[in-house]
Amino acid sequence: MYDIQKGDMKKLRIFCDFDGTIAQNDVGNVLITTFGDAAHWWDLVDKWKREELDGRDLWRKQFAITPITPTQMDEFAATQKIDPNFPVFVQFCRDYHIPVYVVSDGMDAYIKRILKNNGLGDLEVRANHLEMHDDGTLFVEYPWYKEGCCNCGNCKGTHVRQETQDDELSVYIGDGHSDVCGMREADITFAKDALAELCEQTGKPYRPFNNFADVLEGIREL
């Protein structure tokens, strides 16, 4: 846990994972298992976790055999729920002028739709770009890849490192393997599930949370 000393009144800048953190589900996994070959996907995920392929190949290999139209994506996104405490958390941050970034190694096509459906379409999103066509063909772009670790499609640590100012403390909030780079760069980490386990294994201090009500309580303390 970051040790805040008396007189340490730095501002905060917050970076939030999306899948399984803001969203109740890991939406990327649900998307693929709904429209694509689930067995093929989980095999790719296992190889990615073993670092046998990078984040770009993970998505490219799956989307090559997964047709999804924009209309199907609209309908799918409408079924996905976010943590009901997240809008309250965002409003608190806005009231106190704390910047919030949504950082994801998933796809902007579903993230932006889901946020917009929940009145949060103006949040800053840093994610991979999914170009969709009416015939169901998909094309993935990785606008942040070259600036990162070159294992993630979108290295979250890059955004923490580049955006945090000298007079600020960076806060990272996440739940899984794709959050490791963000966690490493952050001054303060809120973690659950696989990310909490990884923090324990590596000795990285963190604050446990179950939902954004817990995160909001922690941010109020800070």
Side-chain angles (χ1 to χ4, degrees), residues 177 180 183 193-206:
H177 285 81
V180 170
M183 169 266 284
D193 301 339
L195 184 61
E197 294 175 9
L198 290 166
C199 287
E200 294 282 355
Q201 292 169 11
T202 60
K204 169 72 174 184
Y206 73 99

Side-chain angles (χ1 to χ4, degrees), residues 14-27 80-90 100-104 110-116 118-121 123-127 156 172-176 179 190 192-193 209-213 215:
I14 296 176
F15 303 84
C16 299
D17 170 55
F18 185 79
D19 291 273
T21 302
I22 295 172
Q24 292 182 5
N25 294 322
D26 187 316
V27 182
Q80 298 302 306
K81 300 184 182 301
I82 66 169
D83 181 335
N85 302 287
F86 183 65
V88 178
F89 170 78
V90 171
V100 177
Y101 296 77
V102 178
V103 290
S104 175
Y110 63 77
I111 294 171
K112 290 184 176 181
R113 282 171 167 82
I114 294 168
L115 291 174
K116 183 178 180 181
N118 287 275
L120 298 168
L123 280 176
E124 179 80 16
V125 175
R126 304 283 180 87
K156 301 171 185 181
Y172 190 83
I173 306 163
D175 77 314
D179 298 305
F190 288 82
K192 66 177 181 177
D193 301 339
F209 77 100
N210 292 311
N211 54 49
F212 272 91
V215 178

Side-chain angles (χ1 to χ4, degrees), residues 1-221:
M1 186 179 298
Y2 184 85
D3 184 17
I4 299 179
Q5 303 296 326
K6 183 176 181 180
D8 187 354
M9 296 296 290
K10 288 187 175 183
K11 296 178 289 184
L12 302 179
R13 188 174 294 262
I14 296 176
F15 303 84
C16 299
D17 170 55
F18 185 79
D19 291 273
T21 302
I22 295 172
Q24 292 182 5
N25 294 322
D26 187 316
V27 182
N29 287 338
V30 178
L31 180 72
I32 296 303
T33 54
T34 299
F35 294 98
D37 183 332
H40 180 64
W41 172 247
W42 293 121
D43 180 59
L44 292 175
V45 169
D46 286 341
K47 290 179 179 178
W48 168 72
K49 287 181 179 179
R50 297 194 299 267
E51 298 186 0
E52 295 174 13
L53 76 169
D54 69 19
R56 297 177 302 169
D57 289 334
L58 172 70
W59 289 106
R60 282 175 178 164
K61 289 179 180 292
Q62 185 64 52
F63 281 143
I65 59 170
T66 307
I68 308 171
T69 67
T71 298
Q72 288 175 318
M73 185 66 84
D74 289 340
E75 294 170 350
F76 170 80
T79 69
Q80 298 302 306
K81 300 184 182 301
I82 66 169
D83 181 335
N85 302 287
F86 183 65
V88 178
F89 170 78
V90 171
Q91 187 58 55
F92 174 87
C93 291
R94 287 173 172 165
D95 290 345
Y96 284 86
H97 307 289
I98 302 171
V100 177
Y101 296 77
V102 178
V103 290
S104 175
D105 206 12
M107 298 295 140
D108 59 359
Y110 63 77
I111 294 171
K112 290 184 176 181
R113 282 171 167 82
I114 294 168
L115 291 174
K116 183 178 180 181
N117 290 344
N118 287 275
L120 298 168
D122 59 338
L123 280 176
E124 179 80 16
V125 175
R126 304 283 180 87
N128 303 311
H129 175 61
L130 182 62
E131 184 178 319
M132 311 180 68
H133 302 278
D134 290 337
D135 63 358
T137 56
L138 307 172
F139 180 74
V140 191
E141 296 177 345
Y142 300 92
W144 312 102
Y145 177 76
K146 292 183 179 179
E147 301 176 42
C149 65
C150 295
N151 183 51
C152 306
N154 176 34
C155 179
K156 301 171 185 181
T158 298
H159 304 293
V160 177
R161 185 171 58 254
Q162 291 183 350
E163 297 298 336
T164 305
Q165 306 301 305
D166 291 341
D167 62 342
E168 296 175 333
L169 293 175
S170 56
V171 178
Y172 190 83
I173 306 163
D175 77 314
H177 285 81
S178 70
D179 298 305
V180 170
C181 292
M183 169 266 284
R184 287 172 177 163
E185 294 290 340
D187 296 306
I188 302 163
T189 298
F190 288 82
K192 66 177 181 177
D193 301 339
L195 184 61
E197 294 175 9
L198 290 166
C199 287
E200 294 282 355
Q201 292 169 11
T202 60
K204 169 72 174 184
Y206 73 99
R207 292 172 178 246
F209 77 100
N210 292 311
N211 54 49
F212 272 91
D214 299 332
V215 178
L216 177 55
E217 182 179 350
I219 295 297
R220 286 181 184 276
E221 293 174 6

